[in-house]
Amino acid sequence: MDGLVALCLAARAESSVGSQVCTSDGATLAQQLGALTAIPGGTVLVARTEGAVVGLLLGRLLGPNPFTDDVSLAVEALYVDTRHRRRGVGHALMVGAAEVASSAGAQHVYAAPIPGARGMQRFFVQLGFAAAAAHRVTSTVALQRRLAVDGAMVRRAGSRGLEDLIARRRQSRAGRAADKAGVGDVVRVGDKENVPFAEDAPAQPSRLSISKQVKRAVQTRRDAESSTTTS
């Protein structure tokens, strides 16, 4: 519980609207987290490494109720310690959340990113969550499929880590964009046409060589015209 409280307070300090995240009083926050676990369907997932709590996910199973027959999982908070980001912690927490949703028969997973956490917004978008009022939503099946694909890519990355995987994705996108132009295509600049690759164009004499040849020819012609014969 102490680790959970510390992470919640860190999330509060990081958010631009900290008062909307949680209370700043650690004792009160511990009581509130305990109450969440006592609520039917309340879910708390914790990521630990070397005995330290480095990530948390707070969720709650909703429904059925008089307004819907469906069961959904609401992810109310997801936070990873700044020193352990880009290491798959958030991904692992979402895998756990998807398993909770699937076990409960929840067809959809809703998420409410912490206010002001732009990185978390991007994270949910990358996992396929679409806007739904003030939340984001995706189907449980689609989430599990996306998490499986991302997990396979991370495993193939091996020891080079997630940062290298992201760099390779960016490089791949840049390569596809470059391929759209086509090798050897003519690119028009102003009123001139230019061939991007020199090896695709016919070889041309250098300007220096041409200049020397013209100068030599002109000089030879002038010498012949200006010569005189004396008797």
Side-chain angles (χ1 to χ4, degrees):
M1 182 60 71
D2 291 341
L4 289 176
V5 170
L7 275 184
C8 288
L9 292 178
R12 186 183 195 279
E14 186 175 331
S15 175
S16 58
V17 285
S19 59
Q20 298 181 28
V21 176
C22 63
T23 177
S24 60
D25 181 69
T28 302
L29 182 55
Q31 294 177 354
Q32 293 172 346
L33 289 172
L36 176 61
T37 61
I39 296 175
T43 301
V44 179
L45 300 180
V46 178
R48 298 167 60 92
T49 178
E50 297 180 355
V53 177
V54 298
L56 64 86
L57 184 148
L58 307 180
R60 183 170 44 162
L61 288 168
L62 304 175
N65 57 46
F67 300 99
T68 180
D69 294 329
D70 296 333
V71 177
S72 301
L73 174 66
V75 177
E76 299 179 346
L78 174 64
Y79 184 77
V80 177
D81 181 84
T82 55
R83 296 167 295 180
H84 294 83
R85 292 176 184 173
R86 296 186 178 275
R87 299 184 182 181
V89 177
H91 184 277
L93 288 169
M94 288 304 299
V95 169
E99 292 176 352
V100 170
S102 180
S103 299
Q107 297 182 357
H108 293 87
V109 177
Y110 288 84
I114 295 175
R118 295 182 179 180
M120 195 57 62
Q121 287 277 8
R122 292 192 295 270
F123 175 73
F124 283 120
V125 170
Q126 291 170 356
L127 289 181
F129 281 77
H135 294 68
R136 289 190 170 276
V137 64
T138 186
S139 69
T140 303
V141 173
L143 176 60
Q144 289 179 315
R145 186 184 304 117
R146 182 57 183 265
L147 289 169
V149 171
D150 288 353
M153 295 181 67
V154 171
R155 287 192 295 272
R156 285 197 298 268
S159 60
R160 286 180 289 186
L162 188 58
E163 291 82 357
D164 288 347
L165 173 61
I166 295 173
R168 291 198 299 277
R169 282 180 175 176
R170 292 175 178 171
Q171 184 177 6
S172 177
R173 286 195 295 267
R176 289 195 299 268
D179 289 342
K180 291 181 179 179
V183 177
D185 286 350
V186 176
V187 180
R188 186 177 295 276
V189 181
D191 295 329
K192 298 181 179 180
E193 291 185 350
N194 303 287
V195 179
F197 299 100
E199 58 268 26
D200 294 332
Q204 300 291 338
S206 66
R207 289 187 177 182
L208 180 59
S209 177
I210 294 174
S211 177
K212 288 182 178 180
Q213 292 176 13
V214 172
K215 184 176 180 181
R216 187 180 302 110
V218 172
Q219 185 65 37
T220 302
R221 186 169 60 253
R222 286 180 178 178
D223 291 344
E225 293 175 351
S226 61
S227 60
T228 56
T229 303
T230 58
S231 57

